[in-house]
Amino acid sequence: MTAFALVAYVWGLIQLLVIASPSRTVRWRVLLLAFLAGMYASSTVGLLIEQVWIRLVATRTDQLIFDVTRQAAVTVSPFIEEVAKLLPLLLILCWARVRRRLGVTDVMLIGAALGAGFGFAEATMGLVHVADTAIWDSLSGNWIVFFGLSSKQIPGLLNTIEAWLPVPLGKGIVFDTAFVTFAGLRLELMDYNYHLVWSALAALGAGLFLRAPRK
């Protein structure tokens, strides 16, 4: 199952790489290193910081670790994860020579690769204990993985290729769907790769902040 999730993360990154080709200078080898850094370094740092913070709060407030973890998932943990994902990028941007060579598009792509690697590590940790529950849904063309009474799905190869920034680990039996009306047309909005997208946006902000004129 992790192989299908990996394909989804890599395919979303390739899509951004192709679209950004006219204005990028960073090569795919750099993005591969960023993906590995997000997978191993950022995920480890983020996990350690989260666990230290959760246990510290649980000790000081006499709460159960489970309760603090659940509260942190919607309060502090998302911020910790975003900082951890961009930490390798921020470290290399400390070198003026590297900072001058990287454009805003390059910084954004590196951030996306870090987020993709982080997301893959998170998905792998979530799937390692439930991979044997996966079943193939021929109707949707996806793998369904059961987490107790709930379920998530991993897109099949065809669905991954056809999707824009495909969701490596979707929620529920079907992907979350929303609709928006634009110019009289009802457009369907599919779920997207959260880690990749938010890390790309955060890196874009960092790139604009570092490369913009002083004024």
Side-chain angles (χ1 to χ4, degrees):
M1 292 304 95
T2 55
F4 288 91
L6 175 62
V7 170
Y9 277 111
V10 173
W11 181 243
L13 187 58
I14 291 175
Q15 290 174 331
L16 291 183
L17 181 64
V18 172
I19 290 179
S21 292
S23 59
R24 69 174 174 86
T25 60
V26 66
R27 297 184 178 183
W28 66 267
R29 291 191 293 269
V30 176
L31 298 184
L32 176 60
L33 291 175
F35 183 91
L36 294 176
M39 179 179 173
Y40 291 107
S42 296
S43 62
T44 302
V45 171
L47 180 62
L48 289 176
I49 295 176
E50 286 181 2
Q51 293 302 313
V52 170
W53 185 87
I54 288 172
R55 280 163 172 72
L56 181 62
V57 172
T59 302
R60 293 292 182 88
T61 60
D62 293 328
Q63 297 184 64
L64 296 176
I65 292 180
F66 175 81
D67 294 332
V68 178
T69 302
R70 185 174 56 182
Q71 296 171 10
V74 294
T75 54
V76 179
S77 292
F79 295 97
I80 295 177
E81 290 180 358
E82 290 305 321
V83 173
K85 281 187 285 185
L86 292 185
L87 187 58
L89 175 60
L90 297 177
L91 289 177
I92 65 173
L93 289 177
C94 291
W95 280 279
R97 181 178 179 182
V98 175
R99 189 166 60 247
R100 287 193 298 266
R101 293 183 59 182
L102 294 177
V104 175
T105 303
D106 299 326
V107 174
M108 183 197 70
L109 289 174
I110 294 175
L114 288 168
F118 184 97
F120 177 66
E122 185 179 75
T124 301
M125 288 185 288
L127 291 172
V128 66
H129 299 298
V130 296
D132 56 344
T133 68
I135 60 173
W136 173 254
D137 182 9
S138 58
L139 183 61
S140 64
N142 300 314
W143 289 93
I144 308 298
V145 183
F146 293 92
F147 296 81
L149 298 178
S150 63
S151 65
K152 294 185 179 181
Q153 65 175 346
I154 302 173
L157 184 60
L158 182 60
N159 287 339
T160 294
I161 295 176
E162 293 179 344
W164 167 247
L165 302 180
V167 186
L169 197 60
K171 297 179 180 179
I173 296 299
V174 295
F175 287 130
D176 293 339
T177 310
F179 294 92
V180 64
T181 301
F182 177 75
L185 300 176
R186 193 184 190 206
L187 304 178
E188 183 178 1
L189 301 179
M190 299 301 293
D191 204 1
Y192 57 91
N193 191 329
Y194 295 100
H195 282 297
L196 187 151
V197 170
W198 285 109
S199 295
L201 290 175
L204 175 62
L208 292 174
F209 177 77
L210 294 173
R211 296 301 303 270
R214 288 292 180 180
K215 61 181 179 181

